[in-house]
């Protein structure tokens, strides 16, 4: 006999989405009737294929409420429920980075007393089948933003939620669904990963080729070898820090090398295409949400030319699974970082800019000034979270505020100069932050070679030129993994990098 169960994302202290059709699902005995009651609303359905689905309409903001779900012989009561706005925080390590590990994290932890902001962390299950679950993590359920719990919350999502809550004064729910080191390919189904033939070949076909002759014993051996090398590195790292406490991370890595990474690709690897989609994302869909916050792209820099298509498929896939074709997708454009292995982060940023311009209901937070030259995990997550909240307030909640960075919109040739135009900019908005001159502009005569250029703000435009280029054809800005750029608007938001040769 099947026991009546709710999906694990439904627990005491949860937040349900206001002003929408809310879906509650779970498992029960076949052909029995399941009934749900919340806020005076009742929903019933027959169990089919072991599952049930209840729907409730336009729940009222507030709480605490309780949900009662019952079948013929069983019942479940979920308590202390709030109704407000729910956001999913997705991506890789910079979204996952914990509050305790962020800049001034301990200060924010001590101030964490927001009982109407709730957080649910999707257990990071890397692999599961009928017999095993790796790792076999407990589901912590929904938790409040308190000193006891907040240290382990996503720092970006933490600051986003607090800023939104202070502005809206309604309950805010965060569902954290992310994992460090992951490609966007980890977070989508095979159907969507195979939509673009080049993406399919680079990600899905390559994975299948890798595992074709890989035995379970060999995969386990590779995993054990990695764990041993990581333990040895951790020991060496501790000894080095004790001996040279004043040395920087860069000096440490120069002297003892980098920490062993990445995990070998296999059937149990969380880095496999479509893996975390099945073991994490599908555990929370189709939970009714307000929108998605996304911070990812670093791991796909080796295949940066495919990211435009890859990211498009992620958005389409998630909108399908959350059952909302207009689901807002608010994403973070990658910051600056001096990746010594590949100079391709600008291609990812450009793909993100393309996404903003070509996919409906998307918004992009520019964070080029939030990076750290030698740290792929910059500690300032407060700025990122605040900018996400600011942009959401303008684009989703229609507040009369300035949440957009200057976004390249076009150019005009003017003799030996090029005039660059921007969206979200009026005359007087553009400023130089720090220094007397604009940095990061380059100009080309169309022969493939770019020269450092001079740039000046003129009204709502930037005029770009170089003595070395008499007949300019194109301009690019911030076109490096890491370059210090200083074009901002007067509201403190940096302009997005761009390339006039790109087809937006």
């Amino acid at each position: 006999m099947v026991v009546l169960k709710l999906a694990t994302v439904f627990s005491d202290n949860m937040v349900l989405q206001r002003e929408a059709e809310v879906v509650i699902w779970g498992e029960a005995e076949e052909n029995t009737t399941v009934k749900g009651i919340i806020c005076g609303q009742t929903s019933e359905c027959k169990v089919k294929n072991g599952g049930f689905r209840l729907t409730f309409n336009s729940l009222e903001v507030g709480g605490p409420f309780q949900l009662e779900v019952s079948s013929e012989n069983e019942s479940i009561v979920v308590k202390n429920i709030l109704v407000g706005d729910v956001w999913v925080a997705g991506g890789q390590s910079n979204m996952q980075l914990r509050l305790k590990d962020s800049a001034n994290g301990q200060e924010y932890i001590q101030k964490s007393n927001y009982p109407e902001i709730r957080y649910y962390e999707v257990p990071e299950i890397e692999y599961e089948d009928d017999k095993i679950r790796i790792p076999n993590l407990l589901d912590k359920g929904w938790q409040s933003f308190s000193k006891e719990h907040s240290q382990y919350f996503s720092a970006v999502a933490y600051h986003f939620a607090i800023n939104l809550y202070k502005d809206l004064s309604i309950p805010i729910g965060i569902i954290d669904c992310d994992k460090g080191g992951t490609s966007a390919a980890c977070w989508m189904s095979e159907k969507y990963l195979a939509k673009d033939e080049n993406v399919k070949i680079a990600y899905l076909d390559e994975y299948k080729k890798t595992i074709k002759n890989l035995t379970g014993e060999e995969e386990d051996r590779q995993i054990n070898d990695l764990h041993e090398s990581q333990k040895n590195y951790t020991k060496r790292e501790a000894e080095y820090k004790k001996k040279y406490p004043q040395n920087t991370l860069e000096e440490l890595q120069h002297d003892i090398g980098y920490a062993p990474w990445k995990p070998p690709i296999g059937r149990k690897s969380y880095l496999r295409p479509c893996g975390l989609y099945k073991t994490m994302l599908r555990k929370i869909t189709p939970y009714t949400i307000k929108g998605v916050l996304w911070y990812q792209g670093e791991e796909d820099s080796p295949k940066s030319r495919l990211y435009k298509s890859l990211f498009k498929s992620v958005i389409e896939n998630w909108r399908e699974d959350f059952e909302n074709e207009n689901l807002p997708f608010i994403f973070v454009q990658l910051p600056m970082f001096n990746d010594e292995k590949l100079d391709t982060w600008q291609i990812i940023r450009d793909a993100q800019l393309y996404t903003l311009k070509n996919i409906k209901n998307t918004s992009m937070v520019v964070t080029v000034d939030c990076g750290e030259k030698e740290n792929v995990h910059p500690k300032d997550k407060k700025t990122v979270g605040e900018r996400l909240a600011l942009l959401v307030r303008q684009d989703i909640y229609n507040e009369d505020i300035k949440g957009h960075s200057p976004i390249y919109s076009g150019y005009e040739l003017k003799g030996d100069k090029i005039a660059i135009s921007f969206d979200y900019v009026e005359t007087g908005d553009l400023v130089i932050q720090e220094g007397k001159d604009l940095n990061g502009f380059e100009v080309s005569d169309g022969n493939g070679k770019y020269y450092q250029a001079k740039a000046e703000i003129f009204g709502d435009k930037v005029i770009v030129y170089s003595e070395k280029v008499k007949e300019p054809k194109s301009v690019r800005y911030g076109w490096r993994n890491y370059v210090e750029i200083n074009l901002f608007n007067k509201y403190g938001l940096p302009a997005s990098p761009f390339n006039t040769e790109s087809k937006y």
Side-chain angles (χ1 to χ4, degrees):
M1 181 176 179
V2 178
V3 176
L4 177 67
K5 289 196 304 185
L6 289 170
T8 53
V9 69
F10 302 108
S11 76
D12 291 349
N13 309 313
M14 67 183 175
V15 180
L16 295 177
Q17 180 60 43
R18 62 171 172 154
E19 300 170 3
E21 183 179 86
V22 170
V23 179
I24 306 290
W25 72 94
E27 300 174 5
E29 188 70 19
E30 188 72 13
N31 293 322
T32 59
T33 297
V34 173
K35 181 171 73 172
I37 302 174
I38 185 173
C39 297
Q41 291 190 42
T42 299
S43 178
E44 290 187 2
C45 69
K46 278 279 191 182
V47 178
K48 295 182 180 180
N49 300 317
F52 67 86
R53 175 178 170 134
L54 304 170
T55 58
F56 301 91
N57 294 306
S58 297
L59 299 178
E60 58 185 279
V61 171
F65 306 117
Q66 73 174 32
L67 166 70
E68 182 176 353
V69 178
S70 60
S71 60
E72 294 173 1
N73 300 307
E74 303 171 277
S75 67
I76 298 171
V77 177
V78 184
K79 302 176 182 178
N80 195 27
I81 299 169
L82 300 179
V83 175
D85 283 348
V86 182
W87 292 84
V88 168
Q92 58 178 110
S93 53
N94 273 306
M95 180 62 86
Q96 185 184 38
L97 190 134
R98 307 305 186 194
L99 185 62
K100 67 182 181 66
D101 298 319
S102 67
N104 304 311
Q106 291 304 318
E107 174 188 340
Y108 301 127
I109 290 167
Q110 293 305 312
K111 293 179 180 178
S112 296
N113 183 24
Y114 299 91
E116 289 196 322
I117 308 179
R118 309 284 176 81
Y119 184 91
Y120 175 80
E121 182 178 2
V122 180
E124 293 179 30
I125 305 303
E126 300 175 6
Y127 175 84
E128 64 181 347
D129 56 28
D130 294 338
K131 298 178 181 178
I132 62 173
R133 195 169 188 244
I134 304 173
N136 191 21
L137 298 171
L138 294 175
D139 193 302
K140 300 173 185 176
W142 285 82
Q143 301 172 329
S144 63
F145 274 39
S146 65
K147 287 191 288 186
E148 179 184 2
H149 300 124
S150 64
Q151 63 177 316
Y152 298 110
F153 295 172
S154 158
V156 169
Y158 176 91
H159 291 294
F160 166 83
I162 286 176
N163 275 268
L164 202 58
Y165 174 72
K166 289 179 177 178
D167 180 64
L168 300 178
S169 298
I170 64 169
I172 301 293
I174 298 291
I175 298 177
D176 186 54
C177 187
D178 46 41
K179 190 166 177 61
T182 52
S183 161
C186 300
W187 298 103
M188 67 177 82
S189 67
E190 286 198 23
K191 180 182 93 170
Y192 277 93
L193 194 55
K195 285 187 72 172
D196 181 298
E197 184 65 20
N198 292 325
V199 170
K200 174 180 173 291
I201 291 170
Y203 288 92
L204 198 55
D205 292 353
E206 184 64 28
Y207 167 69
K208 291 180 177 179
K209 180 181 176 181
T210 299
I211 66 170
K212 183 177 180 181
N213 298 313
L214 182 67
T215 65
E217 292 78 8
E218 174 60 18
E219 182 176 358
D220 290 341
R221 185 194 66 76
Q222 291 178 4
I223 293 171
N224 290 333
D225 286 350
L226 176 67
H227 289 167
E228 281 300 313
S229 62
Q230 287 175 334
K231 280 198 295 186
N232 291 335
Y233 183 88
T234 299
K235 181 179 178 181
R236 290 168 55 217
E237 182 182 42
E239 292 171 349
Y240 183 91
K241 287 181 177 179
K242 185 176 180 180
K243 188 174 181 180
Y244 306 105
Q246 74 284 356
N247 282 16
T248 65
L249 176 63
E250 185 179 11
E251 290 170 324
L252 180 149
Q253 291 171 338
H254 177 270
D255 293 342
I256 70 170
Y258 292 83
W261 205 83
K262 57 188 172 179
I265 294 295
R267 295 175 183 86
K268 298 175 185 175
S269 169
Y270 71 86
L271 298 178
R272 69 193 184 282
C274 315
L276 297 181
Y277 169 79
K278 298 173 183 175
T279 61
M280 291 182 68
L281 182 71
R282 290 296 288 158
K283 301 294 178 63
I284 61 170
T285 56
Y287 201 97
T288 310
I289 62 174
K290 187 71 172 178
V292 173
L293 310 173
W294 179 264
Y295 191 162
Q296 191 277 335
E298 303 92 333
E299 187 60 25
D300 290 304
S301 57
K303 301 173 182 177
S304 58
R305 298 291 177 183
L306 298 174
Y307 196 75
K308 189 185 298 182
S309 178
L310 192 66
F311 190 26
K312 179 175 184 285
S313 291
V314 169
I315 295 172
E316 291 175 348
N317 197 161
W318 283 37
R319 284 176 171 170
E320 179 181 283
D321 287 357
F322 282 106
E323 300 179 3
N324 183 353
E325 65 179 9
N326 296 312
L327 184 68
F329 234 86
I330 321 298
F331 58 90
V332 178
Q333 188 186 48
L334 292 189
M336 293 292 174
F337 169 63
N338 186 31
D339 189 335
E340 298 175 350
K341 301 173 185 176
L342 289 168
D343 188 23
T344 57
W345 279 43
Q346 68 273 24
I347 309 299
I348 298 290
R349 292 187 203 105
D350 208 48
Q352 292 169 325
L353 179 57
Y354 175 89
T355 300
L356 171 69
K357 289 178 172 290
N358 290 277
I359 299 182
K360 66 178 182 178
N361 293 335
T362 61
S363 302
M364 183 179 77
V365 171
V366 180
T367 65
V368 287
D369 58 324
C370 297
E372 295 179 25
K373 186 175 183 179
E374 306 298 338
N375 185 7
V376 72
H377 302 122
K379 301 299 184 183
D380 176 17
K381 294 297 187 266
K382 183 173 183 286
T383 301
V384 180
E386 288 177 342
R387 287 181 184 171
L388 280 166
L390 193 67
L391 196 53
V392 161
R393 286 170 55 197
Q394 180 175 354
D395 284 2
I396 309 304
Y397 298 101
N398 300 312
E399 294 185 27
D400 185 17
I401 57 175
K402 304 294 185 182
H404 281 275
S405 285
I407 300 295
Y408 166 76
S409 62
Y411 72 96
E412 183 181 356
L413 297 175
K414 290 181 176 291
D416 60 351
K417 298 180 175 62
I418 296 182
I420 305 297
S421 301
F422 299 88
D423 290 327
Y424 311 111
V425 167
E426 298 176 358
T427 298
D429 281 355
L430 295 174
V431 298
I432 301 173
Q433 188 180 78
E434 299 181 3
K436 297 180 180 179
D437 301 315
L438 286 172
N439 301 325
F441 281 91
E442 296 172 284
V443 66
S444 173
D445 58 8
N447 293 322
K449 186 173 182 179
Y450 276 84
Y451 299 88
Q452 184 176 340
K454 294 181 180 180
E456 299 172 358
I457 296 170
F458 187 80
D460 60 352
K461 294 178 173 57
V462 171
I463 309 300
V464 185
Y465 59 96
S466 170
E467 295 177 355
K468 296 181 179 179
V469 181
K470 299 302 180 184
E471 297 183 8
K473 295 291 190 297
S474 58
V475 168
R476 63 190 190 186
Y477 172 66
W479 205 252
R480 296 280 189 281
N481 272 5
Y482 182 91
V483 57
E484 294 183 1
I485 52 182
N486 59 355
L487 177 62
F488 281 66
N489 65 21
K490 65 183 181 182
Y491 307 103
L493 301 175
S496 168
F498 64 87
N499 190 330
T500 61
E501 292 190 79
S502 296
K503 295 179 180 179
Y504 301 118

